[in-house]
Amino acid sequence: MASNGSNGVSHAPEGNSAKPAHRFDPDFTQLVIDTMGPNTTPRNRVVLGALIRHLHDFTREVELTIDEWMTGVHFVNAVGQIYTKSRNEAHRVSDILGLESLVDEIAHKVIAENGDIDPTSSSILGPFWSPNAPFRELGGSIIQDGVPEGGRVTKMHGVIRDMTTGKPIPGAVFDIWQASANGKYDFQDPENQTANNLRGKFRANEKGEYYFYCLHPTAYSLPTDGPAYTLLKAMDRHPMRPAHIHIMVTHPDYQGCTTQLYPKDDPWLVTDTVFAVKPDLIADFKPLEGDDKAVLELEYNVVLAPKGYKSKA
Amino acid sequence: MASNGSNGVSHAPEGNSAKPAHRFDPDFTQLVIDTMGPNTTPRNRVVLGALIRHLHDFTREVELTIDEWMTGVHFVNAVGQIYTKSRNEAHRVSDILGLESLVDEIAHKVIAENGDIDPTSSSILGPFWSPNAPFRELGGSIIQDGVPEGGRVTKMHGVIRDMTTGKPIPGAVFDIWQASANGKYDFQDPENQTANNLRGKFRANEKGEYYFYCLHPTAYSLPTDGPAYTLLKAMDRHPMRPAHIHIMVTHPDYQGCTTQLYPKDDPWLVTDTVFAVKPDLIADFKPLEGDDKAVLELEYNVVLAPKGYKSKA
């Protein structure tokens, strides 16, 4: 018998079809999706149905080969095999594909309206935040273990304001964490750092001001001994993150802002391997004179959206 | 300052745009793709660029939440963590999403032209083929360890033909493997089966005929103790494969055909959890009389495409 139309040849319908023609079974993807049973939750049906559709569209578009598919299978197995409590490789892989940055944008994007001030952009949390950072006094220091070799002490300060009124937000909590001059966070570096070194929470005063001492941050590389780096090499990409300071600013009446700040002269800003840089997060570390505790100064003002501010355009 | 057009609001251009409008940074995905360096191979650039684009399109389309993203991160880690030499969970997950079936179609689809006979459809190899199956004599049996409880011996036979001429292909090799009546393959079941039980290769005679004894196959469940089953449950799907016999038919002058055959009365044909059933692979096991070695008969004729037959429409 000769082949017929149901045997894998598909043509796009006339007119404004969004799909390209392809020569494969046009019913296969819908068959897979429709196998979902009646007790699938509505959200699972939406998310997993879309996942299957995009996965199949990708596979047909590039005509993925058997060997390439098997490379992907081995890759996913390898990602999980290197997992430990302090090494989340799947998280890292999703970061280098831009996925965490994208879900962060989806979750936290606030668009200012009616002349309100743009709130401070959100950025990814990353895997190194700790819920155990101690409160410290305004004017104190997060440099608990002394200044490391190559460390440049910075006086950081600013005002936390309301995007709708421009007024300060007294009592807002400014949580900061950063890697040391060797590019490692406290719990990656137990030989050199005590718990909560370079971490701390500060409560803004009645003027919405915060100020404390920290380090000028240091650029560092993602680990280069696992599948995430294998993927980076396949894309001829470097594993560097620009130098950054993590902050999480919260207040009961406001939408919290988790983000990262970057020195404006960092060479990795444009090609940050996890795509977490946004223009308003690039900050200017300036030489500081007259303060015997610090050689640099960073002023950074934070703008928060009130809870319930319409966040979806 | 008020928000502006570069700050996350995107509108579809006028006219026949294939993309829906969304409210997120319209430049983000291209930025991630463009980070690939000049030494990326052309094929990696195509495959990984499309992977990133589809992953991002999926994420925006469903507005994936932070919690859903983290569920996915944990899922990928869990898939790799359960990996062993005899358990390839990433392969299994790709199967239940229809991916292996799709790459098999892309690799092996042959479309008959000019009145040629349709070749036998390809289907997925699965993880249980062995390169070590022994050649056995025509008319012999792959039931090496005796008939298991519940096993129904079947005389299987047929002719292997050329799709362009209809003529038999003497010397073609017919490699068969199947699970036992307990649903397990030899190397999953060392307590009950010796190596190469229910496996064998047969060489077609000068008439292109093959014939031997095997078992009527038994439906079985995928493992229910790992992430693949977690995913099936999320989709309210069963873990069953229809009963099937694996075959791989080869000859130096022809494109090999790896496929699976299914009894026509199997209840799982339509919802096969790995989507490997095609209409021409559904076969009729008939009662057999007058053969004291078997109670059933299966005739199945195989059609191969010559090497170089134009396989892409």
Side-chain angles (χ1 to χ4, degrees):
Chain A
M1 55 212 134
S3 78
N4 59 47
S6 69
N7 207 10
V9 184
S10 147
H11 299 283
E14 300 295 312
N16 295 328
S17 172
K19 297 275 181 187
H22 60 74
R23 64 193 173 85
F24 307 110
D25 180 353
D27 301 322
F28 180 69
T29 297
Q30 197 59 47
L31 170 75
V32 175
I33 292 170
D34 288 346
T35 305
M36 277 191 267
N39 296 317
T40 310
T41 66
R43 181 63 181 165
N44 276 348
R45 192 177 296 277
V46 167
V47 172
L48 295 169
L51 179 69
I52 290 166
R53 186 159 35 73
H54 283 282
L55 184 65
H56 286 202
D57 284 348
F58 154 72
T59 302
R60 281 185 291 253
E61 177 182 319
V62 303
E63 299 206 4
L64 197 71
T65 70
I66 301 272
D67 285 349
E68 289 165 346
W69 159 72
M70 191 48 80
T71 298
V73 164
H74 290 321
F75 183 82
V76 171
N77 282 323
V79 165
Q81 284 173 270
I82 210 166
Y83 171 88
T84 67
K85 276 199 172 178
S86 61
R87 180 166 187 167
N88 189 331
E89 196 79 356
H91 185 152
R92 189 163 281 134
V93 167
S94 81
D95 282 1
I96 66 176
L97 295 174
L99 194 56
E100 185 178 6
S101 193
L102 190 54
V103 294
D104 171 66
E105 181 189 13
I106 292 168
H108 298 125
K109 183 83 183 175
V110 175
I111 296 176
E113 293 178 337
N114 305 320
D116 290 337
I117 310 166
D118 275 335
T120 301
S121 290
S122 178
S123 188
I124 66 177
L125 176 65
F128 298 114
W129 178 73
S130 166
N132 304 319
F135 270 98
R136 303 184 191 270
E137 291 296 315
L138 279 179
S141 176
I142 64 170
I143 309 167
Q144 189 171 276
D145 294 339
V147 180
E149 188 179 335
R152 287 180 287 165
V153 181
T154 300
K155 180 172 186 179
M156 184 170 175
H157 62 97
V159 179
I160 303 163
R161 297 185 188 278
D162 179 313
M163 72 179 282
T164 61
T165 63
K167 290 184 179 169
I169 306 174
V173 173
F174 193 102
D175 185 355
I176 174 174
W177 65 107
Q178 67 177 161
S180 189
N182 63 1
K184 293 184 176 174
Y185 294 83
D186 56 352
F187 52 77
Q188 292 180 299
D189 193 26
E191 291 182 6
N192 298 303
Q193 298 182 57
T194 58
N196 295 318
N197 185 47
L198 300 172
R199 298 179 185 277
K201 291 177 189 154
F202 298 87
R203 195 176 297 278
N205 65 19
E206 72 284 355
K207 297 176 184 170
E209 298 167 338
Y210 74 86
Y211 45 100
F212 57 80
Y213 294 93
C214 61
L215 293 178
H216 183 286
T218 303
Y220 60 79
S221 169
L222 300 190
T224 55
D225 62 345
Y229 188 59
T230 301
L231 180 57
L232 286 172
K233 280 190 297 186
M235 295 190 284
D236 188 26
R237 280 173 46 183
H238 65 72
M240 296 302 294
R241 292 228 57 213
H244 59 276
I245 290 173
H246 291 273
I247 65 172
M248 180 188 287
V249 186
T250 55
H251 184 284
D253 298 337
Y254 290 84
Q255 300 178 39
C257 179
T258 298
T259 196
Q260 304 182 23
L261 307 177
Y262 306 90
K264 71 175 185 181
D265 56 353
D266 190 279
W268 311 106
L269 290 176
V270 174
T271 58
D272 175 15
T273 199
V274 303
F275 308 101
V277 179
K278 296 175 186 176
D280 66 309
L281 304 177
I282 297 172
D284 193 5
F285 288 71
K286 293 178 176 165
L288 178 63
E289 293 186 7
D291 185 331
D292 59 3
K293 295 186 196 157
V295 297
L296 294 170
E297 175 184 15
L298 172 61
E299 179 179 6
Y300 194 82
N301 300 312
V302 175
V303 179
L304 297 183
K307 279 196 172 155
Y309 190 88
K310 185 167 174 284
S311 65
K312 306 207 172 189
Chain B
M1 56 212 133
S3 80
N4 59 48
S6 69
N7 206 10
V9 185
S10 148
H11 298 285
E14 298 299 310
N16 294 327
S17 171
K19 298 275 180 184
H22 60 74
R23 65 192 172 85
F24 307 111
D25 180 354
D27 301 321
F28 180 69
T29 297
Q30 197 59 46
L31 169 74
V32 174
I33 292 170
D34 289 346
T35 305
M36 279 192 265
N39 296 315
T40 311
T41 67
R43 181 63 180 165
N44 276 348
R45 191 177 296 277
V46 167
V47 172
L48 295 169
L51 180 69
I52 289 166
R53 187 160 33 74
H54 282 282
L55 184 65
H56 287 200
D57 284 348
F58 155 73
T59 301
R60 281 185 290 253
E61 177 182 318
V62 303
E63 300 205 1
L64 197 71
T65 69
I66 301 273
D67 284 350
E68 289 164 345
W69 160 72
M70 191 47 79
T71 298
V73 164
H74 290 322
F75 183 82
V76 171
N77 281 324
V79 165
Q81 284 173 270
I82 209 167
Y83 172 88
T84 67
K85 277 198 172 181
S86 61
R87 178 165 191 170
N88 189 331
E89 196 79 357
H91 186 153
R92 189 163 282 134
V93 167
S94 82
D95 283 1
I96 66 176
L97 295 175
L99 193 57
E100 185 177 8
S101 194
L102 190 53
V103 294
D104 171 66
E105 181 190 14
I106 291 168
H108 298 125
K109 183 82 184 175
V110 175
I111 296 174
E113 294 179 337
N114 306 319
D116 291 337
I117 311 165
D118 274 337
T120 301
S121 290
S122 178
S123 188
I124 66 176
L125 175 67
F128 297 115
W129 178 74
S130 167
N132 303 319
F135 271 97
R136 302 182 192 270
E137 292 295 315
L138 278 179
S141 176
I142 64 169
I143 310 168
Q144 187 171 277
D145 294 340
V147 180
E149 189 178 334
R152 287 179 288 165
V153 181
T154 299
K155 182 173 184 179
M156 184 169 176
H157 62 96
V159 179
I160 302 164
R161 296 185 189 278
D162 180 310
M163 70 178 284
T164 62
T165 63
K167 290 184 178 168
I169 306 173
V173 173
F174 193 101
D175 184 355
I176 174 174
W177 66 106
Q178 66 176 167
S180 189
N182 63 1
K184 292 184 178 175
Y185 294 84
D186 57 354
F187 52 76
Q188 292 181 298
D189 193 27
E191 291 183 6
N192 298 303
Q193 299 183 58
T194 57
N196 295 317
N197 186 45
L198 301 172
R199 300 179 185 276
K201 291 177 189 156
F202 299 87
R203 196 176 297 279
N205 65 20
E206 71 285 354
K207 298 175 184 170
E209 298 168 341
Y210 74 87
Y211 46 100
F212 56 79
Y213 295 92
C214 60
L215 293 177
H216 184 286
T218 303
Y220 60 79
S221 170
L222 301 189
T224 55
D225 62 345
Y229 189 59
T230 301
L231 180 57
L232 286 172
K233 280 190 296 184
M235 296 190 285
D236 189 27
R237 281 173 46 183
H238 65 73
M240 296 302 293
R241 292 229 56 212
H244 59 277
I245 289 173
H246 292 273
I247 65 173
M248 179 189 288
V249 185
T250 54
H251 184 282
D253 299 335
Y254 291 85
Q255 298 178 38
C257 179
T258 298
T259 194
Q260 304 183 25
L261 307 176
Y262 307 90
K264 70 174 186 182
D265 57 352
D266 190 280
W268 311 106
L269 291 177
V270 175
T271 58
D272 176 15
T273 197
V274 304
F275 308 101
V277 179
K278 297 174 186 177
D280 67 309
L281 304 177
I282 297 171
D284 193 6
F285 288 73
K286 293 178 175 166
L288 178 65
E289 293 187 5
D291 185 331
D292 58 5
K293 294 186 196 156
V295 298
L296 294 170
E297 175 184 15
L298 171 62
E299 179 180 7
Y300 194 83
N301 300 313
V302 175
V303 180
L304 297 185
K307 279 197 172 156
Y309 190 88
K310 184 167 174 287
S311 65
K312 305 209 171 186

